[in-house]
């Protein structure tokens, strides 16, 4: 759920990690608070996952738990690259080990095992190769280094014990799985053209030997990676749409939506709702927070209800309170939410922006003295609607219904993908997402530089080189996609350009713009 508390305790090479005893303490504390807790691990929790320590701490504290098995990356990574760990002719056995403490392992014994699958070995690859060569393993033994298996940035380097270090020099290998053995040479015959990475985020994903294959829908965005910058609570629909079109999606929420600093102005306006001729709603957030607050005030008795009317459903409350008030909305999603409440907007402008609402407003020559309620974002919104409507003689009450804030920083994985040139498109659905996204990118790169330890391929070998690059340089191969003219102006002002603008100012419109660009690229 988007409102779940998320506590990052992952361990990444080169970054400060949370101590195991602190992780144990967090799990026990949250359990004792009565919370439902998911301890999410990469792969199988019983394969170098330290699950035993956490289970012991929970058991000693009287906390109930269950274990859900997973597939270790030691098995999944080679599978996704078409490398079998066993083969009747060249690999009768394999061993899974960790490269965390190379000197603690018996390399004489390990050198005799047909195939090795090594986790957490990105930084110790050179030492591992030296240990195996010293133990008598052939220098021509094939080696594969598989990075970020099962993600959009999956990448593999292939060499031998003698050459693999040279093949990966200057590369950031973390997180990776190292596979050593003759089975690596089989990938040329077994690797599928498209690695079968199931998209388990889609509800139609099914796993059954009895399923009859259905014809695949066209996937015009196959092999394309799209970065989505909407708020946490609003990105899922757009992400699902892009996934169905075949894209890999990187979510970088650039807005955190929450209540305003003070509800009093909105409450006062809602208490006098019947005195307004128009309610103007220009975003889905305005609908959610305005209607939600209206229901809350009604049920709390703050609007003067008593008796049976206090027990009305939320839908009935909103319909009752808005009886006689005209509703104007901007955007298809906003209109859809209003209709979901059982209401019909009296005015929807032809284009989905405030300029179109003002230009096409009904009977705009006779707005003198007409009272309008405009619940909106607390800060950072445009003032064109208030100015223009006031100039036409309307009396506009502007109140904060919600606030949108900038997240503290951009996820390290997203920055890494940008630096590695793995993002094809970045989408912006509002001017605020543009400024916030840029602020996060700049702040994430400049703060905690040493803890990031970012190495972006062979072109960037240290922090100084990353820091010296401008956002324009990082984005020079990324197509910038805007939902409409106002957002495009922000892209041009902040990012220096905009490559694609939706013809219809909706999320669907952005998706169609991306498809058209991909198809045009294929024809050229």
């Amino acid at each position: 759920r988007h409102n779940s508390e998320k506590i990052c305790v992952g361990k990444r090479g080169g970054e400060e990690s949370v101590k195991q005893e602190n992780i144990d303490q967090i799990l026990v504390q949250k359990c004792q608070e009565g919370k439902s807790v998911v301890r999410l691990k990469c792969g199988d929790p019983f394969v170098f996952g330290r699950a035993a320590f956490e289970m012991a701490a929970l058991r000693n504290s009287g906390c109930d738990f269950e274990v859900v098995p997973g597939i270790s990356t030691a098995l999944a990574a080679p599978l996704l690259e078409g490398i079998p760990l066993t083969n009747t002719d060249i690999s009768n056995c394999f061993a899974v080990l960790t490269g965390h403490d190379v000197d603690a392992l018996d390399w004489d014994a390990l050198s005799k095992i047909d195939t090795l699958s090594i986790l957490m070995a990105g930084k110790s690859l050179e030492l591992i190769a030296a240990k195996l060569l010293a133990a008598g393993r052939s220098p021509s033994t094939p080696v594969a280094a598989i990075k970020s298996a099962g993600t959009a940035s999956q990448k593999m380097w292939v060499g031998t014990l003698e050459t693999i270090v040279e093949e990966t020099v200057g590369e950031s290998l973390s997180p990776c799985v190292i596979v050593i053995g003759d089975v690596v040479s089989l990938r040329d015959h077994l690797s599928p053209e498209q690695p079968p990475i199931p998209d388990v985020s889609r509800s139609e994903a099914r796993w059954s030997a009895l399923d009859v294959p259905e014809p695949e829908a066209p996937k015009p965005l196959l092999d394309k990676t799209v970065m989505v910058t909407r708020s946490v609570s609003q990105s899922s629909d757009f992400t699902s749409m892009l996934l169905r079109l075949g894209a890999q999606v990187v979510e970088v929420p650039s807005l955190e939506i929450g209540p305003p600093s003070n509800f009093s102005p909105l409450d006062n306006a809602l208490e006098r709702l019947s005195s307004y001729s128009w309610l103007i709603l220009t975003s889905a957030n305005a609908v959610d927070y305005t209607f939600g607050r209206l229901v809350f005030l009604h049920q709390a008795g703050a609007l003067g209800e008593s008796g049976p009317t206090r027990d009305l459903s939320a839908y009935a409350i909103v319909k009752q309170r808005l009886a006689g008030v005209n509703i104007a909305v901007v955007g298809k999603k906003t209109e859809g939410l209003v209709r979901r409440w059982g209401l019909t907007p009296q005015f929807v402008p032809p284009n989905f922006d405030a300029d179109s609402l003002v230009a096409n407003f009904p009977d705009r020559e006779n707005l003198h003295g007409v009272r309008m309620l405009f619940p909106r974002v607390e800060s950072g919104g445009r003032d064109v609607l208030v100015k223009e409507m006031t100039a036409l003689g309307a009396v506009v009450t502007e109140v904060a219904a919600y606030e949108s804030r900038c997240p503290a920083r951009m996820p390290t994985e997203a920055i890494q993908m940008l630096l590695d040139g793995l993002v094809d498109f970045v989408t912006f659905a509002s001017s605020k997402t543009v400024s916030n996204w840029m602020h996060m990118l700049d702040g994430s790169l400049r703060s905690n530089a040493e803890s990031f330890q970012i190495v972006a391929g062979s072109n960037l070998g240290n922090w100084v080189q990353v820091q010296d690059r401008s956002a324009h340089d990082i984005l020079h191969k990324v197509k910038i996609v805007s939902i409409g003219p106002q957002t495009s102006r922000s892209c041009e002002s902040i990012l220096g350009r905009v490559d694609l603008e939706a013809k219809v100012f909706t999320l669907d419109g952005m998706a169609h713009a991306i498809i058209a660009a991909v198809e045009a690229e294929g024809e050229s």
Side-chain angles (χ1 to χ4, degrees):
R1 301 197 307 263
H2 73 269
N3 59 343
S4 298
E5 180 182 8
K6 299 175 181 64
I7 305 173
C8 181
V9 295
K11 302 178 186 296
R12 293 293 295 266
E15 296 187 20
E16 185 177 351
S17 299
V18 180
K19 293 181 179 178
Q20 185 60 50
E21 53 265 32
N22 293 340
I23 298 175
D24 299 344
Q25 185 179 8
I26 292 171
L27 289 170
V28 170
Q29 176 187 338
K30 295 301 179 183
C31 173
Q32 292 177 341
E33 289 175 1
K35 304 288 181 63
S36 295
V37 182
V38 175
R39 171 64 166 115
L40 191 61
K41 290 177 177 285
C42 178
D44 191 293
F46 278 15
V47 179
F48 301 119
R50 303 193 179 189
F53 296 102
E54 296 167 10
M55 292 165 62
L58 291 168
R59 184 178 290 110
N60 292 338
S61 301
C63 296
D64 294 330
F65 61 86
E66 65 173 324
V67 179
V68 179
I71 301 175
S72 171
T73 48
L75 308 179
L79 170 67
L80 292 172
E81 285 292 353
I83 300 173
L85 293 180
T86 61
N87 179 274
T88 53
D89 296 320
I90 57 178
S91 179
N92 290 316
C93 62
F94 69 92
V96 176
L97 52 147
T98 170
H100 183 69
D101 187 359
V102 174
D103 291 327
L105 299 171
D106 185 346
W107 290 100
D108 286 331
L110 291 171
S111 69
K112 297 177 175 62
I113 295 175
D114 294 333
T115 304
L116 302 177
S117 185
I118 312 177
L119 301 168
M120 296 170 279
K123 291 190 173 183
S124 54
L125 177 57
E126 184 173 5
L127 181 57
I128 289 171
K131 291 281 189 181
L132 287 170
L133 289 171
R137 196 71 180 253
S138 169
S140 61
T141 301
V143 180
I146 306 165
K147 177 182 177 179
S148 302
T151 72
S153 53
Q154 178 173 317
K155 187 175 181 181
M156 182 174 70
W157 295 265
V158 177
T160 65
L161 280 177
E162 191 173 42
T163 66
I164 191 62
V165 174
E166 183 180 347
E167 294 285 347
T168 58
V169 67
E171 302 285 359
S172 171
L173 297 183
S174 180
C176 81
V177 175
I178 307 296
V179 183
I180 301 174
D182 290 337
V183 290
V184 172
S185 62
L186 297 177
R187 71 171 300 273
D188 293 333
H189 308 287
L190 301 178
S191 178
E193 291 185 9
Q194 297 295 333
I197 306 173
D199 176 13
V200 296
S201 68
R202 289 183 282 175
S203 60
E204 66 264 31
R206 295 189 298 272
W207 292 94
S208 170
L210 299 178
D211 279 341
V212 177
E214 298 177 359
E216 281 232 12
K219 298 186 182 297
L221 300 186
L222 199 64
D223 297 329
K224 299 298 179 182
T225 299
V226 181
M227 185 171 284
V228 174
T229 63
R230 285 176 64 88
S231 67
V232 174
S233 60
Q234 295 179 325
S235 63
S236 59
D237 290 346
F238 191 38
T239 293
S240 297
M241 182 194 310
L242 294 170
L243 288 170
R244 286 194 297 271
L245 293 169
Q248 295 278 358
V249 178
V250 182
E251 289 189 331
V252 183
S254 301
L255 289 175
E256 290 179 348
I257 306 300
S261 58
N262 185 0
F263 268 120
S264 293
L266 178 62
D267 292 350
N268 292 335
L270 293 176
E271 289 171 8
R272 305 189 309 273
L273 189 56
S274 61
S275 69
Y276 294 98
S277 298
W278 284 92
L279 173 64
I280 300 177
L281 301 166
T282 59
S283 71
N285 292 316
V287 177
D288 289 341
Y289 277 87
T290 302
F291 289 5
R293 192 65 181 176
L294 186 59
V295 172
F296 170 80
L297 292 174
H298 180 101
Q299 293 176 338
L303 301 179
E305 294 74 21
S306 61
T309 60
R310 290 277 298 277
D311 299 324
L312 293 173
S313 70
Y315 295 98
I317 292 169
V318 171
K319 289 190 73 171
Q320 182 188 80
R321 286 290 164 184
L322 283 170
V325 180
N326 294 305
I327 302 174
V329 302
V330 172
K332 279 188 174 180
K333 184 167 185 179
T334 311
E335 179 187 1
L337 283 176
V338 169
R339 291 186 181 279
R340 230 177 276 173
W341 281 88
L343 301 167
T344 302
Q346 279 67 46
F347 175 59
V348 182
N351 293 326
F352 307 135
D353 57 24
D355 304 84
S356 182
L357 183 141
V358 172
N360 296 278
F361 203 83
D363 204 18
R364 64 194 305 272
E365 295 82 10
N366 299 303
L367 292 179
H368 185 75
V370 174
R371 289 171 55 80
M372 300 180 175
L373 177 59
F374 179 29
R376 61 176 302 176
V377 66
E378 185 169 10
S379 62
R382 298 176 66 206
D383 56 6
V384 60
L385 191 150
V386 177
K387 283 184 175 180
E388 295 293 332
M389 286 300 190
T390 302
L392 291 170
V395 180
V396 182
T397 301
E398 183 183 14
V399 293
Y402 66 97
E403 177 61 306
S404 62
R405 304 170 180 85
C406 181
R409 57 189 280 183
M410 188 177 290
T412 307
E413 294 80 2
I415 298 173
Q416 185 69 58
M417 291 187 71
L418 285 167
L419 292 171
D420 286 349
L422 297 174
V423 177
D424 300 296
F425 301 90
V426 57
T427 62
F428 295 103
S430 70
S431 293
K432 206 162 188 179
T433 57
V434 181
S435 57
N436 285 0
W437 185 85
M438 186 62 190
H439 178 77
M440 285 195 301
L441 176 61
D442 182 63
S444 297
L445 288 173
R446 293 181 182 278
S447 67
N448 302 319
E450 293 180 2
S451 68
F452 271 126
Q453 297 290 317
I454 296 176
V455 180
S458 58
N459 296 323
L460 299 174
N462 55 56
W463 165 247
V464 176
Q465 288 173 300
V466 172
Q467 192 179 41
D468 286 345
R469 297 182 80 191
S470 67
H472 302 274
D473 184 22
I474 292 173
L475 294 173
H476 78 284
K477 290 185 178 179
V478 181
K479 285 187 170 60
I480 298 169
V481 188
S482 159
I483 198 170
Q486 182 60 35
T487 304
S488 293
R489 285 191 281 273
S490 296
C491 289
E492 289 167 350
S493 172
I494 297 170
L495 303 176
R497 73 178 204 277
V498 61
D499 299 297
L500 304 172
E501 180 180 291
K503 291 182 178 179
V504 179
F505 310 149
T506 62
L507 298 178
D508 282 354
M510 280 204 293
H512 284 298
I514 295 172
I515 292 171
V518 171
E519 290 175 345
E521 183 182 274
E523 293 170 359
S524 61

